[in-house]
Amino acid sequence: MKAFIFDLDGVLVFTDQFHYQAWKQIADRLGIAFDEQINNRLRGVSRADSLEIILEGYHGAPLSEAEKQALMEEKNEIYRGYLAEMTPDSVDASVRETLQELRRQGHKLAVGSSSRNTKYILKQTDLTQQFDAISDGTNITHSKPHPEVFLKAAQYLGEQPANCIVVEDAEAGIDAAKAAGMTAVGIGDAARYERTDIRITTLRALLNVQNTL
Ligand code: B16
Ligand code: MG
């Protein structure tokens, strides 16, 4: 029996377009150039760190902490407007089936996400009950690539890090998994990253490689 820790955005659901649309509205208002390439740098990174990356393109008067806080709140309001439209149909059937099959085989499953909206997304998509533990942006002080979010997930599952397999789409997430002493499975962008241990192109492929882990 093993423990699987799944990243959320980019692995189980595809909310990156919602993050992009929400940040784009803020960036446009501040006159900051923001495109999909910059958006890729926000994968797995916390809300506050995401804002700092976006502000690299800001040339106005320096912003106070209160102004930055207000921008993050505004972005989150817009983002949650998109999340409110999510339903169980927003999750690929193959993703749900893969989780169900791993559970059927007796493995423990957790979520390890930087997002403070994790529990809301899982509720909207009816995924909450698929997981034995949830570690997210609300229970960490250090965001990926720091290992805290995955170490907490292992702790909540009652598992040793060496027995945990992390599934990630972001380089920051693979770095976090390796720093935690876990096996790192990469999908999407992370499948092209040199530090990734095992590369998959679809989540379902996890069922084929898991015996080798
Ligand atoms: P929130 P993950 C991450 O989710 C996203 O990839 C990243 O773009 C986002 O900034 C971060 O969550 C924080 O999200 O603003 O909802 O707290 O990939 O770690 O599941
Ligand atoms: Mg991700």
Side-chain angles (χ1 to χ4, degrees), residues 7-9 19 42 44-45 47 50 113-117 144:
D7 173 53
L8 182 61
D9 173 35
H19 283 295
L42 311 185
V45 169
R47 199 179 307 166
S50 297
S113 168
S114 299
S115 177
R116 301 179 68 83
N117 291 296
K144 300 169 190 174

Side-chain angles (χ1 to χ4, degrees), residues 30-42:
L30 294 173
I32 298 171
F34 182 58
D35 56 19
E36 296 274 359
Q37 224 173 342
I38 300 173
N39 194 55
N40 276 345
R41 290 177 58 205
L42 311 185

Side-chain angles (χ1 to χ4, degrees), residues 40-179:
N40 276 345
R41 290 177 58 205
L42 311 185
R43 286 182 199 283
V45 169
S46 72
R47 199 179 307 166
D49 291 344
S50 297
L51 178 64
E52 292 302 328
I53 290 171
I54 289 163
L55 288 178
E56 287 172 11
Y58 178 62
H59 304 296
L63 297 171
S64 67
E65 278 313 308
E67 284 170 318
K68 288 183 184 177
Q69 203 57 47
L71 290 174
M72 284 192 279
E73 276 164 30
E74 187 186 345
K75 182 266 176 176
N76 197 46
E77 292 255 314
I78 301 167
Y79 178 60
R80 283 182 72 97
Y82 294 123
L83 298 184
E85 302 291 315
M86 291 185 90
T87 69
D89 285 339
S90 307
V91 177
D92 279 2
S94 65
V95 168
R96 207 179 288 277
E97 285 160 17
T98 301
L99 297 173
Q100 284 166 352
E101 177 59 18
L102 290 171
R103 286 182 71 78
R104 198 190 62 73
Q105 293 175 5
H107 301 300
K108 289 186 191 173
L109 308 191
V111 172
S113 168
S114 299
S115 177
R116 301 179 68 83
N117 291 296
T118 295
K119 294 183 185 80
Y120 182 47
I121 295 169
L122 294 176
K123 177 169 167 280
Q124 287 294 94
T125 54
D126 198 24
L127 278 179
T128 310
Q129 68 284 359
Q130 300 295 337
F131 298 98
D132 303 294
I134 295 166
S135 173
D136 65 15
T138 65
N139 60 255
I140 54 171
T141 48
H142 306 286
S143 182
K144 300 169 190 174
H146 193 284
E148 186 179 10
V149 72
F150 295 139
L151 290 173
K152 285 268 169 65
Q155 186 190 320
Y156 297 160
L157 289 175
E159 284 291 334
Q160 290 302 314
N163 197 36
C164 294
I165 297 149
V166 170
V167 187
E168 258 291 348
D169 72 306
E171 293 186 3
I174 297 289
D175 288 341
K178 298 311 296 172

